[in-house]
Amino acid sequence: MRFLNIHHARETIGRFAAAVTEKPAPPTADLPAAYRTAISAFRPLPVEGTEGIATHFSDSPWGNYLVDNRTFASIFEGLKDTPTGLRDRWKRDLSIAQLDLRDTIPDLGALVDLVTTDLVFWSSANKGGGSGSNLPGLVSMSPGDSWKPHDFAESLVHETVHLNVFLEHMVYGLYTLPAKELEADQYRVLSAVKVGEMRPLDKAFHSAVVAPPLMLMQHKRGETELVDKFSDSIRACTDGLLELLDVFTPYGQGAVLELASFAESLDFGLVERSISGEQFAHYEMPAAA
């Protein structure tokens, strides 16, 4: 699954940075800095620093911007201030989550380190994460009261994969129709994550891309909750995506076919190869007309 692959992400980000800066694609060592410069052109607030995930809270400039613009509005229900002790605990658990991810699935940790630059924490009634195609690098997160470091890791991976797929759509294109048209009833597909819910094609596709890495993470911990929950729903989702394959670009079709292969097999070796295998790195872009 190319959308999980660290080598392909580096190629994609190199192409993205080159297009934005109108300079040659940077070498691998310079990718993080080039990426941060490039995405800053698309955001109301630039990326600060050259590495790591910067953490913010509701009283930060990012928090004020997101609230003022009702971005991730669903997460703001019951919004309240976050006391200092809780801020420190969340930042500590996030750090533990990143260290553990780098240790257990190094290239998935590398993908997070490359793609996600900012995280805004919220204390609110609605728990979970959020990301958007118009805010590259940024993740929103309202941790649950009983979250452990692995919950932070799963939420971070979930949103990083979304951000990575948004970048791929910007560089290669995923759909042959604009997002507004994909909301029509004939393009709705069962969600892989919100089980039983019919969603617009792009949102259903995004629900499917996050399932394999989350299932792998729990599998490595010896847990079966997500495998049991998503094994049928991801297959139902990919079956629906396959029926609408002509609405995807050639690049998007490849992603759907790769997803469908995993949904059919539930082969976690395939997920690990997708994350690290160099055979997924290069995508030959069609020549300009």
Side-chain angles (χ1 to χ4, degrees), residues 163-271:
L163 292 175
N164 193 42
V165 172
F166 289 141
L167 281 171
E168 290 173 346
H169 180 51
M170 293 174 72
V171 174
Y172 308 110
L174 287 166
Y175 319 104
T176 60
L177 295 173
K180 192 66 178 175
E181 293 187 33
L182 297 178
E183 296 178 4
D185 287 345
Q186 66 264 35
Y187 301 125
R188 288 182 176 262
V189 174
L190 279 168
S191 172
V193 174
K194 296 185 177 181
V195 180
E197 181 178 326
M198 298 291 289
R199 305 198 73 193
L201 183 72
D202 54 341
K203 293 180 174 59
F205 175 72
H206 267 269
S207 78
V209 298
V210 300
L214 298 183
M215 294 165 77
L216 173 66
M217 292 169 73
Q218 288 205 355
H219 173 72
K220 281 186 167 291
R221 292 203 308 273
E223 297 181 14
T224 64
E225 177 189 357
L226 291 185
V227 177
D228 296 340
K229 183 177 180 180
F230 295 152
S231 58
D232 290 333
S233 62
I234 191 173
R235 190 178 301 112
C237 180
T238 55
D239 284 348
L241 296 174
L242 288 169
E243 290 177 3
L244 295 167
L245 202 59
D246 61 338
V247 186
F248 288 88
T249 64
Y251 184 86
Q253 289 176 8
V256 171
L257 293 170
E258 290 167 357
L259 269 170
S261 178
F262 169 73
E264 185 64 31
S265 66
L266 296 182
D267 177 2
F268 291 111
L270 172 61
V271 184

Side-chain angles (χ1 to χ4, degrees), residues 3-4 9 12-13 16 35 39 42 71-72 111 115-116 129-140 157-175 179 199 201-207 209-210 251:
F3 51 83
L4 299 177
T12 301
I13 285 172
F16 172 74
Y35 169 66
I39 65 173
F42 290 82
T71 307
F72 312 126
L111 184 69
V115 173
T116 300
S131 52
S133 60
N134 61 330
L135 293 173
L138 183 78
V139 167
S140 183
V157 166
H158 181 134
E159 302 308 334
T160 294
V161 173
H162 283 318
L163 292 175
N164 193 42
V165 172
F166 289 141
L167 281 171
E168 290 173 346
H169 180 51
M170 293 174 72
V171 174
Y172 308 110
L174 287 166
Y175 319 104
R199 305 198 73 193
L201 183 72
D202 54 341
K203 293 180 174 59
F205 175 72
H206 267 269
S207 78
V209 298
V210 300
Y251 184 86

Side-chain angles (χ1 to χ4, degrees), residues 89-110:
R89 178 160 67 84
W90 284 352
K91 288 193 287 187
R92 180 201 68 204
D93 285 348
L94 177 68
S95 179
I96 294 171
Q98 291 176 272
L99 289 170
D100 185 61
L101 184 61
R102 293 172 191 142
D103 182 55
T104 56
I105 315 176
D107 285 331
L108 191 56

